[in-house]
Amino acid sequence: MLPSRRSFLAGAAGLAALAVQARLGVAATPPAREIFAVRSSDGTLLTGDAQGDPQAPEILFIHGLRQSRLSWDKQFADPALAGFRLVRFDLRGHGDSDKPPSPDAYADPDRWADDVAAVIAAAKLRRPVLVGWSLGGYVTGAYLRKYGGAGVTGINLVDAVTKLSPDLLTPLAGTFARTTTSTDLAERTAETARFLEACFHKPPTDVELQRMLVVNGMTARAVGEGFVKTTTSDLEPVFQAYAGPILLTHGAHDRLVRLAMSERIQVLHPGSRLSVYADSGHSPFYEEPARFGRELAAFVTGSTRS
């Protein structure tokens, strides 16, 4: 599906305007954001936002554990992605979305799948590229498992969890699975801060880190408790069977998800491409955003043309 001439011209005009504003020292006006809310199949209310031309190629961003849709702020401000329709939402138990108190609400992959389907419908997406970071990779796989890949143009897995295996996750990730769900508030608070720090090779600024800590603290404890109890621990066959293109993005210094996780998908899915970020940890889209934006833009453009 080729981008329309209208969306191409709109993106080009936007980039030209940004260049002029930069030369004149004028701050760019942030794109208008459209807030939306939708109820999933079990009644959980999900909150998200979108920006960009609705007729442009679409990207749906799915964040990781204990994070929020704000994780993608750098992508929403990236000129390289200005010509696309960008959509993001808070996963159940996170951010502004509802937080069911029972761990069972997070153990069933079909619930995660239904959440993605509900967001796609609410945002009126036609055939988006799904970008799944960490837990978001598992959520992406859960969606493909239940709904298939016909409605998806491509997949970008970012340091993604596609199989819950001690061989593919680090011992530190296993420790955090226990400590960040501790019933001891003091331990849970300290370990949540340690978990956030472990997500980066190049640390965020103090201001960025403070905001991220607030978001991490908003996450329901039941999320982690339920997710580790899932009976569907291996989604590799789902990605192997997916007929569309896959871009694998992985930070070389990831302290939580081993590079082998992405390398396995590369072997299982012929034609997929692995891009390793030498200066990043678990969050290459945040640590090396300019490169991430260029690669994602090229991937989406190539996927929509195929």
Side-chain angles (χ1 to χ4, degrees):
M1 180 174 59
L2 285 168
S4 68
R5 186 171 187 274
R6 174 188 169 196
S7 63
F8 174 81
L9 291 175
L15 289 175
L18 286 171
V20 171
Q21 289 169 334
R23 287 197 300 271
L24 295 177
V26 178
T29 302
R33 298 275 173 83
E34 307 154 28
I35 306 295
F36 65 86
V38 61
R39 292 200 179 276
S40 191
S41 58
D42 65 352
T44 299
L45 186 68
L46 306 169
T47 301
D49 59 54
Q51 73 179 38
D53 183 354
Q55 300 306 312
E58 306 154 331
I59 307 174
L60 175 57
F61 295 92
I62 307 174
H63 67 77
L65 180 65
R66 308 191 72 84
Q67 313 298 332
S68 78
R69 69 184 192 271
L70 299 180
S71 298
W72 307 107
D73 275 357
K74 291 188 177 185
Q75 284 63 59
F76 271 56
D78 189 346
L81 300 174
F84 300 95
R85 178 66 168 174
L86 309 181
V87 180
R88 59 186 180 174
F89 71 105
D90 293 327
L91 290 170
R92 58 174 54 222
H94 298 74
D96 279 339
S97 291
D98 279 353
K99 300 170 178 61
S102 172
D104 292 342
Y106 309 95
D108 183 356
D110 284 349
R111 299 204 188 190
W112 297 110
D114 290 347
D115 292 352
V116 175
V119 168
I120 289 174
K124 297 182 172 62
L125 300 180
R126 304 176 304 278
R127 291 188 69 233
V129 166
L130 302 184
V131 180
W133 170 42
S134 196
L135 169 62
Y138 180 90
V139 173
T140 298
Y143 172 81
L144 294 177
R145 175 177 175 267
K146 182 170 183 179
Y147 290 93
V152 176
T153 295
I155 302 287
N156 180 199
L157 296 174
V158 185
D159 294 71
V161 175
T162 54
K163 183 177 182 178
L164 296 176
S165 168
D167 295 332
L168 302 175
L169 297 167
T170 68
L172 185 60
T175 297
F176 285 140
R178 176 186 62 81
T179 59
T180 59
T181 58
S182 172
T183 55
D184 182 331
L185 179 59
E187 180 183 30
R188 189 167 75 249
T189 300
E191 291 299 285
T192 295
R194 287 188 61 234
F195 168 75
L196 180 59
E197 291 174 355
C199 289
F200 300 94
H201 175 60
K202 294 190 296 186
T205 67
D206 289 344
V207 172
E208 291 170 335
L209 189 61
Q210 287 172 1
R211 187 171 73 158
M212 293 176 189
L213 280 170
V214 172
V215 169
N216 273 241
M218 294 170 64
T219 306
R221 190 176 73 207
V223 177
E225 292 175 330
F227 180 60
V228 297
K229 295 177 181 177
T230 183
T231 58
T232 305
S233 60
D234 184 5
L235 291 175
E236 287 185 344
V238 173
F239 292 106
Q240 182 178 22
Y242 174 59
I246 295 179
L247 171 63
L248 298 154
T249 304
H250 210 108
H253 302 279
D254 193 333
R255 297 170 58 194
L256 302 171
V257 178
R258 298 186 191 275
L259 178 60
M261 186 91 74
S262 291
E263 290 174 335
R264 285 176 62 87
I265 299 298
Q266 183 184 29
V267 171
L268 291 170
H269 189 280
S272 61
R273 184 170 75 86
L274 173 59
S275 182
V276 179
Y277 284 57
D279 295 324
S280 291
H282 190 57
S283 310
F285 64 94
Y286 208 91
E287 298 174 79
E288 298 182 68
R291 174 182 169 183
F292 183 84
R294 290 193 304 269
E295 292 189 358
L296 178 57
F299 176 69
V300 175
T301 300
S303 299
T304 54
R305 286 178 178 171
S306 61

